[in-house]
Amino acid sequence: MLIAASDHRVGRSQIGALVEYQGKFMQKSPFLLNGWYCAGWSEELDRQKIIGRRLLNMPIVIYRADGQAVALHDRCPHRFAPLSKGAVKDGNLVCGYHGLAFSRTGQCVESPFGDRKVPNAAVQAFPVVERDNAIWFWPGDPELADPAAIPEFAGLGDAKGRQGYLNLKANYQLAIDNLMDLSHIEFVHLRTFGGAGCFFEGQHETRKVSDTEIWSLWTMDDVQPPAPARAAFGDQRVNHWQDMCWRAPSNLSFDMGLVPLGLDRSSAPPRMQQAHLLTPETETSTHYFYSKEQQDEPKEFDMLKIAFEEEDAPMMEACQRNMGDNFWAERPVVLATDASAILVRRMLDKMIREQNSD
Amino acid sequence: MLIAASDHRVGRSQIGALVEYQGKFMQKSPFLLNGWYCAGWSEELDRQKIIGRRLLNMPIVIYRADGQAVALHDRCPHRFAPLSKGAVKDGNLVCGYHGLAFSRTGQCVESPFGDRKVPNAAVQAFPVVERDNAIWFWPGDPELADPAAIPEFAGLGDAKGRQGYLNLKANYQLAIDNLMDLSHIEFVHLRTFGGAGCFFEGQHETRKVSDTEIWSLWTMDDVQPPAPARAAFGDQRVNHWQDMCWRAPSNLSFDMGLVPLGLDRSSAPPRMQQAHLLTPETETSTHYFYSKEQQDEPKEFDMLKIAFEEEDAPMMEACQRNMGDNFWAERPVVLATDASAILVRRMLDKMIREQNSD
Amino acid sequence: MLIAASDHRVGRSQIGALVEYQGKFMQKSPFLLNGWYCAGWSEELDRQKIIGRRLLNMPIVIYRADGQAVALHDRCPHRFAPLSKGAVKDGNLVCGYHGLAFSRTGQCVESPFGDRKVPNAAVQAFPVVERDNAIWFWPGDPELADPAAIPEFAGLGDAKGRQGYLNLKANYQLAIDNLMDLSHIEFVHLRTFGGAGCFFEGQHETRKVSDTEIWSLWTMDDVQPPAPARAAFGDQRVNHWQDMCWRAPSNLSFDMGLVPLGLDRSSAPPRMQQAHLLTPETETSTHYFYSKEQQDEPKEFDMLKIAFEEEDAPMMEACQRNMGDNFWAERPVVLATDASAILVRRMLDKMIREQNSD
């Protein structure tokens, strides 16, 4: 009996072995399922054709069928081989172990042996959208996967060659904390951005736009320019700002700039805009995708790489190792500068609690 | 009080500390205990003199006393040092930590210090037989260890220099599956044996000789010869077969050949015979011993090595990582080509269940 | 509200988040808490300025404030960064993540951001004493930390350049066993001290001075000198002794010598005195600090290094891997030569049991 892919709605209601599996990870998760996560850069997929990657603790395979990105559960239901070890053929993903082929909906559509009967089997398919050089992945209810909800990031689409990746051995929430509380710059980034003391003289404000959008605004008026801007501004005092915006579940954008005293932000030329897209790999590791708008010199991107890989990451990873599994159970001391980070944690915790109580 | 080794029957009823330990692994095991497993190649033992190896999740030491292979629990009952770090002296194995000596029955027969009293202690001894360049190990009831039950393997005794070893990071049953379902050749072995499409045109038959002997027979009549035979046969169509035979617990023999149309099997010259001896190391790793009859070119053995190490092993190991601990709990989809592999699993599962319900 | 460090008694009664944490490790521990442990060599601290090290399974940071060694819990209560990644400033330890500063009592005394309010927070401070080139650490009740109880070690203070360190992947009690039962020398140290057979001809005595001081005395009269003394003594028979002294919790001193027949010990010139300071890192790993008095040739210290790193350590680590977690549960066979080691185990077990039953 041949079962055409089109006969099946693929998504939450699955067939065969997957129902069980789905039961394990779909109904309850330590992560927010209804949200867009970055699964990789388009350039990676151009290069590799097939990406096998653990996302939210699930093995996921990503490939393109007729130019369109597809995300499936990376586990053949026959012998559990990762489909990412297979090949794409006529828009289907063919398992590299015994040749079962799966359509973009996850339905098994071909079996090369024996009586040629196609088994009534499927792997879960996930909504996926390719936009702005990034592949966006939705692990939750497909009915709710609205591409319009994918956040915009200034410069992301033009950031070719200014995209980085870091495999962080820490929970993604530690990375959100790190970004929402930029006061760490004065201590962690001594070799790159920090050390000028701007943050000691500035104001910090938390602005909640909605339950899924929170800003952490650092305003430093009439300060010495930070180290990387010293070449352009010398000793001239400046108005400086660093604005970080979190959007649920864990995509952050950053806007940093400085202007001579008396000018307003719109006139700022050496402005830096970054995306920080944090996708849980496991509960203690994170795919940390970052990008930077194109306008600047390559060496500035190299400085980002040093800042993130050699300064931020070792610190976050040391905290993870030192912390145990449960942040709140450790009863962290809360400082005024934590306001934005704590608010994001509360929003995320609330949404995940609601999801898991259904 | 000196206790001569000969005063003691060594085997299922042990003395001292070992009884406890034995209780843990002898009565219940995830592996079939009453069966012959390959513990190593004779050449290894010639070279190393003493082999310490984990077999069925037990530390085992193998050495020769007066030319005869001996297998003991690799753990001195005094301070738990591996006896494999010791030395053989006068046919006894002397612990390398404090010098207790153990006879081939596992009885402690010498203590070099103090009052020279020999402690009433022993390590478990296991039946072991050296045959056909292989060392055969029996982890179960010594009363039932019949050397006549060691399976014969064509060419094994002459396979000197054609014996391989692979430490596979996967459960041994995944390796049995892989051998009983040779349809994977068309997908996994593209660089070596596969890709000619013979299996797509053939017939597959499962033949159960007994609960402990099952054949998986692949008959491919009037097909293109597979890649490795192209040099000898060119485009001439052939009758081709690949016969795999499993004998409990996990020793497989393989007979592969091809003849020009019209000839029968007995006339086949380029025939390949292999042994695949799979011994559990732990529940997720396997000592994979393989051999090939001597008649062929060394480069053919090299091709086997590539096929097993670079094609089979990575796939089986990826399945293991992707699968979790319990094969059946994952509810695998079953194809027609799985018939032999599934039958072996059922036989093994049944025997292990019976063993553990005693 | 600024809280001066001097306002707070730091020690057993802690404030804020630490109370919880303290509850976990202070009241119960698999290790003896009320005792002096070596935390490192003074030379290490000279070189590194800040040492982060796991001691008794707790992350500890050691640094000097105004020349005086300080030991704190190596975990900032704010975001759990290891304080050992920070810097010492004005005698305080400044966290390298967000700049909270802690005094030598563990009290947070400075917060660089926002309203400049110093959080009512502290990390646990531990009594620490620097003496004889070693840093001594007291993990238990500070009220009981009497520096007079730090054991004396002959030559330790003069052992500059004769101090070694080994990270042993075995429980510290296996290392105590190894030292209290020197009969292993004849088997384990064949490349260095052993092999002459002296121990086979000697007497072994256990002398208990108190619950916290036990001697293991090996007296070998009228024997061949051991290998390292052969150059000096040739074939001349000697009186030889090896005295090992354990003092709780796990600091051992060793005195070894030999004299020509007829002379008494005081006349022995080539005498070897060592300290073996064993500090639990985790339950299965040990900081093994050792030293040797200065008088001898550097090549003799090199021989010690070989003996400990290449002979003792691999054997103890193999025992650890082979043993499981619980020594007594494995029902070790006890030999006469184990008397001292077993007595030390009994004393330690008793003290730890009493500590944990409070």
Side-chain angles (χ1 to χ4, degrees):
Chain A
M1 176 187 60
L2 180 83
I3 299 169
S6 57
D7 295 340
H8 283 78
R9 236 205 104 269
V10 173
R12 235 191 143 84
S13 60
Q14 282 289 352
I15 54 177
L18 258 287
V19 174
E20 289 295 303
Y21 184 80
Q22 193 179 0
K24 270 194 257 168
F25 73 80
M26 281 298 294
Q27 311 304 338
K28 309 273 181 193
S29 172
F31 308 111
L32 187 64
L33 296 173
N34 286 326
W36 290 105
Y37 291 90
C38 182
W41 296 121
S42 292
E43 286 168 321
E44 289 181 286
L45 196 52
D46 294 343
R47 214 165 40 235
Q48 292 179 235
K49 307 305 181 203
I50 301 178
I51 295 176
R53 185 163 276 164
R54 186 163 287 268
L55 302 176
L56 289 78
N57 229 349
M58 300 179 289
I60 302 295
V61 54
I62 296 157
Y63 66 101
R64 288 198 195 94
D66 305 323
Q68 200 184 330
V70 176
L72 302 176
H73 184 205
D74 190 15
R75 200 179 88 141
C76 180
H78 171 223
R79 277 297 182 268
F80 316 122
L83 295 173
S84 53
K85 289 176 75 72
V88 180
K89 197 180 145 194
D90 302 332
N92 296 323
L93 188 55
V94 180
C95 181
Y97 202 176
H98 303 93
L100 292 186
F102 297 86
S103 74
R104 71 179 68 183
T105 66
Q107 182 60 41
C108 182
V109 290
E110 203 183 315
S111 174
F113 291 106
D115 50 12
R116 304 295 195 278
K117 193 177 78 173
V118 178
N120 183 12
V123 291
Q124 185 171 11
F126 296 87
V128 63
V129 170
E130 198 163 359
R131 177 186 294 174
D132 286 344
N133 287 330
I135 297 154
W136 294 93
F137 166 80
W138 178 275
D141 185 346
E143 303 280 348
L144 304 178
D146 179 7
I150 297 172
E152 295 287 329
F153 287 92
L156 186 58
D158 308 318
K160 225 159 178 174
R162 300 287 192 280
Q163 293 165 319
Y165 171 76
L166 175 64
N167 190 275
L168 181 72
K169 300 299 182 205
N171 183 279
Y172 74 109
Q173 293 202 44
L174 289 189
I176 299 177
D177 287 345
N178 190 63
L179 292 165
M180 295 303 277
D181 178 3
L182 292 176
S183 74
H184 77 268
I185 286 178
E186 297 290 358
F187 294 90
V188 172
H189 294 299
L190 296 180
R191 291 169 51 205
T192 51
F193 321 128
C198 311
F199 281 83
F200 298 127
E201 302 178 54
Q203 301 294 320
H204 177 230
E205 185 192 346
T206 298
R207 193 176 295 161
K208 180 174 165 184
V209 174
S210 73
D211 281 8
T212 60
E213 180 175 343
I214 292 166
W215 291 74
S216 180
L217 306 164
W218 305 82
T219 308
M220 296 156 279
D221 286 338
D222 193 4
V223 295
Q224 294 272 355
R230 218 46 81 76
F233 286 82
D235 286 337
Q236 190 184 0
R237 290 183 79 83
V238 297
N239 289 339
H240 178 35
W241 70 92
Q242 301 206 10
D243 293 350
M244 186 66 71
C245 171
W246 166 82
R247 276 165 295 182
S250 45
N251 301 303
L252 294 98
S253 55
F254 179 58
D255 180 294
M256 186 272 268
L258 61 175
V259 287
L261 298 186
L263 294 182
D264 74 353
R265 289 190 177 198
S266 61
S267 66
R271 191 156 173 165
M272 183 185 269
Q273 289 177 317
Q274 302 165 5
H276 295 254
L277 314 177
L278 308 170
T279 305
E281 178 182 53
T282 68
E283 290 192 60
T284 55
S285 61
T286 299
H287 301 291
Y288 193 135
F289 300 97
Y290 58 89
S291 78
K292 185 174 181 320
E293 83 295 346
Q294 180 77 359
Q295 66 187 74
D296 61 350
E297 301 290 325
K299 73 179 157 73
E300 287 191 24
F301 187 71
D302 294 343
M303 189 177 69
L304 273 199
K305 233 173 117 70
I306 291 171
F308 298 162
E309 295 186 5
E310 299 178 24
E311 296 180 329
D312 282 316
M315 183 59 84
M316 289 185 274
E317 294 176 349
C319 290
Q320 176 70 54
R321 288 192 300 269
N322 224 8
M323 177 179 104
D325 291 337
N326 189 323
F327 178 79
W328 292 113
E330 307 286 347
R331 298 178 58 171
V333 165
V334 176
L335 306 180
T337 39
D338 291 320
S340 309
I342 293 288
L343 188 56
V344 168
R345 278 191 175 266
R346 294 220 168 106
M347 293 300 105
L348 262 178
D349 288 355
K350 180 168 164 282
M351 289 187 282
I352 293 169
R353 227 174 15 245
E354 284 168 3
Q355 155 190 291
N356 291 340
S357 69
D358 284 354
Chain B
M1 176 185 62
L2 180 82
I3 300 169
S6 56
D7 294 342
H8 283 77
R9 238 204 104 270
V10 173
R12 235 193 143 83
S13 59
Q14 282 291 354
I15 53 176
L18 259 287
V19 174
E20 289 296 303
Y21 183 81
Q22 194 180 1
K24 271 194 257 170
F25 72 81
M26 282 298 294
Q27 311 304 337
K28 308 273 181 192
S29 172
F31 308 110
L32 187 64
L33 296 173
N34 286 326
W36 290 105
Y37 291 90
C38 181
W41 296 121
S42 292
E43 286 168 320
E44 289 181 287
L45 196 53
D46 294 343
R47 215 165 38 236
Q48 292 179 234
K49 307 306 180 203
I50 302 178
I51 294 177
R53 185 163 275 165
R54 184 163 287 267
L55 303 175
L56 288 80
N57 229 350
M58 300 180 288
I60 302 295
V61 54
I62 295 158
Y63 66 102
R64 289 198 194 92
D66 305 322
Q68 200 185 330
V70 176
L72 302 177
H73 184 205
D74 190 15
R75 200 179 87 141
C76 180
H78 171 224
R79 277 297 183 270
F80 316 122
L83 294 174
S84 53
K85 289 175 75 73
V88 179
K89 198 180 144 192
D90 302 332
N92 296 322
L93 188 55
V94 180
C95 181
Y97 202 176
H98 302 93
L100 293 186
F102 298 86
S103 75
R104 71 179 67 183
T105 65
Q107 182 60 42
C108 182
V109 291
E110 202 183 316
S111 173
F113 291 107
D115 50 10
R116 303 297 195 275
K117 192 177 77 172
V118 177
N120 183 14
V123 291
Q124 186 172 10
F126 296 88
V128 64
V129 170
E130 198 162 0
R131 178 187 294 175
D132 284 346
N133 286 331
I135 297 153
W136 294 93
F137 166 79
W138 179 275
D141 185 346
E143 302 280 349
L144 304 177
D146 179 6
I150 297 172
E152 295 287 328
F153 288 92
L156 186 60
D158 307 320
K160 226 161 179 176
R162 299 287 191 280
Q163 294 164 317
Y165 171 76
L166 175 64
N167 189 275
L168 181 72
K169 299 300 182 204
N171 184 279
Y172 73 110
Q173 293 202 44
L174 290 189
I176 299 178
D177 287 346
N178 190 63
L179 291 165
M180 295 303 277
D181 178 3
L182 292 177
S183 74
H184 77 267
I185 286 177
E186 297 291 358
F187 294 90
V188 172
H189 295 298
L190 295 179
R191 291 169 52 204
T192 51
F193 321 128
C198 312
F199 281 83
F200 298 127
E201 302 179 53
Q203 302 293 320
H204 178 228
E205 186 193 345
T206 298
R207 193 174 296 161
K208 180 174 165 184
V209 174
S210 73
D211 281 8
T212 61
E213 180 175 343
I214 292 166
W215 291 74
S216 181
L217 305 163
W218 305 81
T219 308
M220 296 158 280
D221 286 339
D222 192 6
V223 294
Q224 294 273 357
R230 219 45 81 75
F233 286 81
D235 285 337
Q236 191 185 359
R237 290 185 79 83
V238 297
N239 289 339
H240 178 34
W241 70 92
Q242 301 206 10
D243 293 351
M244 186 68 70
C245 171
W246 165 81
R247 278 167 291 184
S250 45
N251 301 304
L252 294 98
S253 55
F254 179 58
D255 179 294
M256 186 273 268
L258 60 177
V259 288
L261 298 186
L263 294 182
D264 74 352
R265 288 192 177 198
S266 59
S267 65
R271 192 160 172 162
M272 182 185 270
Q273 290 177 316
Q274 302 164 7
H276 294 254
L277 314 177
L278 309 171
T279 306
E281 179 182 52
T282 67
E283 291 193 60
T284 55
S285 61
T286 299
H287 301 291
Y288 193 136
F289 300 97
Y290 58 89
S291 78
K292 185 175 181 319
E293 83 296 346
Q294 181 77 0
Q295 65 187 74
D296 62 350
E297 302 289 326
K299 71 179 156 76
E300 288 190 22
F301 187 71
D302 294 344
M303 189 178 68
L304 272 199
K305 233 172 116 69
I306 291 171
F308 298 163
E309 295 186 5
E310 300 178 23
E311 295 179 331
D312 282 316
M315 184 59 84
M316 290 186 273
E317 294 176 349
C319 290
Q320 176 71 53
R321 288 191 300 270
N322 225 9
M323 178 180 104
D325 291 336
N326 189 322
F327 178 78
W328 292 114
E330 306 287 345
R331 300 178 58 171
V333 165
V334 175
L335 306 179
T337 39
D338 290 320
S340 309
I342 293 288
L343 188 56
V344 169
R345 278 190 176 267
R346 293 222 167 104
M347 293 301 105
L348 262 178
D349 289 355
K350 181 169 163 280
M351 290 187 281
I352 293 168
R353 229 176 12 247
E354 284 167 5
Q355 156 190 290
N356 292 339
S357 69
D358 285 354
Chain C
M1 175 187 63
L2 180 83
I3 299 169
S6 55
D7 294 341
H8 283 77
R9 236 203 105 271
V10 173
R12 230 187 148 87
S13 60
Q14 282 290 350
I15 52 176
L18 258 288
V19 174
E20 288 296 301
Y21 183 80
Q22 194 179 1
K24 270 193 257 170
F25 73 80
M26 282 298 295
Q27 310 305 338
K28 309 273 181 194
S29 172
F31 309 110
L32 187 64
L33 296 174
N34 285 326
W36 289 106
Y37 292 91
C38 181
W41 296 121
S42 292
E43 286 167 320
E44 289 181 286
L45 197 52
D46 294 343
R47 215 164 40 236
Q48 293 179 234
K49 307 305 181 203
I50 301 178
I51 294 175
R53 184 163 275 164
R54 185 162 289 266
L55 303 175
L56 289 79
N57 228 350
M58 301 179 288
I60 302 294
V61 54
I62 296 158
Y63 66 101
R64 289 198 194 94
D66 305 322
Q68 199 185 330
V70 176
L72 302 177
H73 184 205
D74 190 16
R75 200 179 87 140
C76 180
H78 171 224
R79 277 297 182 268
F80 316 122
L83 295 173
S84 53
K85 288 176 75 72
V88 180
K89 198 180 145 192
D90 303 331
N92 296 323
L93 188 56
V94 180
C95 180
Y97 202 176
H98 303 92
L100 292 186
F102 298 86
S103 75
R104 70 178 67 183
T105 66
Q107 182 61 41
C108 181
V109 290
E110 202 183 316
S111 173
F113 292 107
D115 49 13
R116 303 293 194 279
K117 192 178 79 172
V118 177
N120 182 13
V123 291
Q124 185 171 9
F126 297 87
V128 62
V129 170
E130 198 163 359
R131 177 186 294 175
D132 285 343
N133 286 332
I135 297 153
W136 295 94
F137 166 79
W138 178 275
D141 185 345
E143 301 281 348
L144 304 178
D146 179 7
I150 298 172
E152 295 285 330
F153 288 91
L156 188 59
D158 308 319
K160 225 161 181 177
R162 299 286 190 280
Q163 294 164 319
Y165 171 76
L166 175 64
N167 190 275
L168 181 73
K169 299 301 183 203
N171 183 279
Y172 73 110
Q173 292 202 44
L174 290 189
I176 299 177
D177 287 345
N178 190 64
L179 291 165
M180 295 303 278
D181 179 3
L182 292 176
S183 74
H184 76 269
I185 286 178
E186 296 291 358
F187 294 89
V188 171
H189 295 298
L190 295 180
R191 290 169 52 205
T192 51
F193 321 129
C198 312
F199 281 84
F200 298 127
E201 302 179 53
Q203 301 295 321
H204 178 228
E205 186 193 346
T206 299
R207 192 175 297 159
K208 180 174 164 184
V209 174
S210 73
D211 281 8
T212 60
E213 179 175 344
I214 292 167
W215 291 74
S216 180
L217 306 164
W218 305 82
T219 307
M220 295 157 281
D221 285 339
D222 193 5
V223 295
Q224 293 272 357
R230 217 48 78 78
F233 286 82
D235 285 337
Q236 190 184 358
R237 290 184 79 83
V238 297
N239 289 339
H240 178 35
W241 70 92
Q242 301 206 11
D243 294 350
M244 186 67 70
C245 171
W246 165 81
R247 276 165 294 183
S250 47
N251 301 303
L252 294 97
S253 55
F254 179 58
D255 181 293
M256 187 273 267
L258 60 177
V259 287
L261 297 186
L263 294 182
D264 74 351
R265 288 192 178 196
S266 60
S267 66
R271 190 161 176 161
M272 183 185 271
Q273 290 177 316
Q274 303 164 6
H276 295 254
L277 314 177
L278 308 170
T279 305
E281 178 182 52
T282 68
E283 290 192 61
T284 54
S285 62
T286 299
H287 300 291
Y288 193 135
F289 300 98
Y290 57 90
S291 78
K292 186 176 181 317
E293 83 295 346
Q294 180 79 357
Q295 65 187 75
D296 61 349
E297 302 290 324
K299 70 178 157 77
E300 287 190 23
F301 187 71
D302 294 344
M303 189 178 69
L304 272 198
K305 231 172 117 72
I306 291 170
F308 298 163
E309 295 186 3
E310 300 178 22
E311 296 180 330
D312 282 317
M315 184 58 84
M316 290 186 274
E317 294 176 348
C319 290
Q320 175 71 53
R321 287 191 301 270
N322 225 8
M323 175 180 105
D325 291 336
N326 189 323
F327 178 79
W328 291 114
E330 306 286 347
R331 299 178 57 173
V333 165
V334 176
L335 305 180
T337 39
D338 291 320
S340 310
I342 294 288
L343 187 57
V344 169
R345 278 191 176 266
R346 295 221 167 105
M347 293 300 106
L348 262 178
D349 288 356
K350 179 169 165 281
M351 289 187 281
I352 293 168
R353 230 176 12 248
E354 284 168 3
Q355 156 190 292
N356 291 340
S357 68
D358 285 354

